[in-house]
Amino acid sequence: MTTITLVQGDITEQSVDAIVNAANSSLLGGGGVDGAIHRRGGPAILAACRDLRASRYGKGLPTGQAVATTAGRLDARWVIHTVGPVWQPSGSDPSLLASCYRESLRIADELGARTVAFPAISTGVYRWPMEDAARIAVETVRDTETAVEEVRFVLFDERAYGVFAASLKGV
Ligand code: ADP
């Protein structure tokens, strides 16, 4: 049974088994959550990402997929990098956003992670509307079979927290 919890704050300050990064497909760093994770986690994470680019993910990590690295100096054992879809006014594919949550939980299960912190994937630079993103995040986690005991959504501001809280209550 997975418990979903909500926290308002900075994902890099969480003590969990795995922290999910809203990465971009280059895996070589960016802004938002990605920048914060690399800043606080230190150079070991980027070194591991470079190794992935030199091996399994020569062309980058495809949208909707996930891969784990060390968490460096973060208070976690792993960072799970996943690439959210960019929201397009002309139509975006919600299944790719759902896939980020599902694939991250699959990787967490492979690793044996029991507590996993997620940011609101795609809702920053990738512009996915918060209400829709929150609904997809909550529904996908609820519908995914996993041994993860706690999924903690870490929302950066009060508004995002409120939207996720409403989604969790089903309003
Ligand atoms: P994406 O490129 O997938 O949109 P971003 O990192 O730009 O990813 O933003 C995803 C969400 O994470 C946004 O709602 C943003 O406000 C939030 N965010 C940014 N920094 C942090 C942080 N340190 N901890 C938690 N959430 C964060």
Side-chain angles (χ1 to χ4, degrees), residues 9-12 22-23 31-34 36 84 119-127 130 154-157 160:
D10 183 338
I11 198 163
T12 67
V33 172
D34 203 5
I121 299 165
S122 286
T123 63
V125 174
Y126 287 179
R127 301 186 311 272
M130 192 61 78
V154 182
L155 294 320
F156 210 34
D157 56 36

Side-chain angles (χ1 to χ4, degrees), residues 1-5 15-19 76-78 80 104-118 141 145-152:
M1 178 71 192
T2 309
T3 304
I4 298 178
T5 56
S15 304
V16 282
D17 293 333
I19 291 176
R77 293 176 69 188
W78 303 281
I80 298 173
S104 296
L105 290 172
R106 190 177 63 75
I107 299 289
D109 281 339
E110 277 179 19
L111 296 166
R114 293 292 177 261
T115 51
V116 179
F118 279 95
V141 169
E145 192 87 35
T146 172
V148 170
E149 289 162 8
E150 182 191 356
V151 165
R152 187 181 306 169

Side-chain angles (χ1 to χ4, degrees), residues 3-42:
T3 304
I4 298 178
T5 56
L6 300 186
V7 167
Q8 189 188 326
D10 183 338
I11 198 163
T12 67
E13 291 174 3
Q14 304 302 308
S15 304
V16 282
D17 293 333
I19 291 176
V20 176
N21 181 16
N24 60 55
S25 85
S26 81
L27 291 175
L28 300 178
V33 172
D34 203 5
I37 282 177
H38 285 287
R39 253 191 323 275
R40 200 173 175 119

Side-chain angles (χ1 to χ4, degrees), residues 26-28 38 43-60 67-70 81:
S26 81
L27 291 175
L28 300 178
H38 285 287
I45 302 174
L46 189 58
C49 287
R50 285 193 205 283
D51 287 348
L52 286 169
R53 285 301 305 274
S55 53
R56 264 172 78 190
Y57 294 107
K59 292 183 180 150
V67 67
T69 66
T70 172
H81 307 263

Side-chain angles (χ1 to χ4, degrees), residues 6 101 120 130 133-134 137-138 153 155 160-169:
L6 300 186
Y101 290 96
M130 192 61 78
V138 169
F153 289 113
L155 294 320
Y161 182 92
V163 171
F164 267 73
S167 231
L168 204 54
K169 281 196 218 125

Side-chain angles (χ1 to χ4, degrees), residues 43 63 91 94:
T63 304

